[in-house]
Amino acid sequence: MIFRRGDDPAPPATTMYQLQQRLASVGEDYWIDNGLGQHAYRVDGKALRLRRTFVLKDTSDNELLHLQRKLLRLRETMVMQHGGQTVATVHKHLIGLRDRFTIELADGGELHTRGNFVDHEYTVIRDGSVVAEVSKRWLSVRDTYAISIVEGQDIPFLLATAVCIDVLCHEGR
């Protein structure tokens, strides 16, 4: 895990982001801030849609990824698209004591998650290595959690993955 303490070896260099959702906002819009507290990305929730839809945008309002929940699926699913092309599909597993997710990449690769998704305490793993960690334990503000991403990884993609998992785990919110 990226947030370890003690005698563990030094973790890889990471970039920190903070996602804070507003409890009452039309369309579920919110900002993702960088480690300095500056707005870095905006999650634009589209109101009044049959399927839950979000758009991850940069600070210049450029669309980076389009996130949409698929209806009438056996497994809860969200699709990430860029320029109309599917980039990845996030699937919630059906079987198990704890929730698990698989992120299938359009190029054929996969990422996996493990942890406690309800409490925002989980890791994203690619080829056996942790590439991102989501943690609420360092923050006391409700509906705020930190996302630590290993340097060299696709930051918007991993932030969008965290948004998708949040949507699939906290549907009633």
Side-chain angles (χ1 to χ4, degrees), residues 115-136:
N116 182 340
F117 301 96
V118 174
D119 291 334
H120 302 292
E121 298 288 340
Y122 63 91
T123 56
V124 180
I125 302 160
R126 180 190 319 240
D127 300 326
S129 298
V130 173
V131 295
E133 183 175 16
V134 176
S135 180
K136 195 174 189 174

Side-chain angles (χ1 to χ4, degrees), residues 134-152:
V134 176
S135 180
K136 195 174 189 174
R137 72 179 143 223
W138 301 106
L139 305 168
S140 61
V141 180
R142 184 170 183 230
D143 287 331
T144 300
Y145 50 96
I147 303 170
S148 179
I149 299 173
V150 173
E151 284 186 18

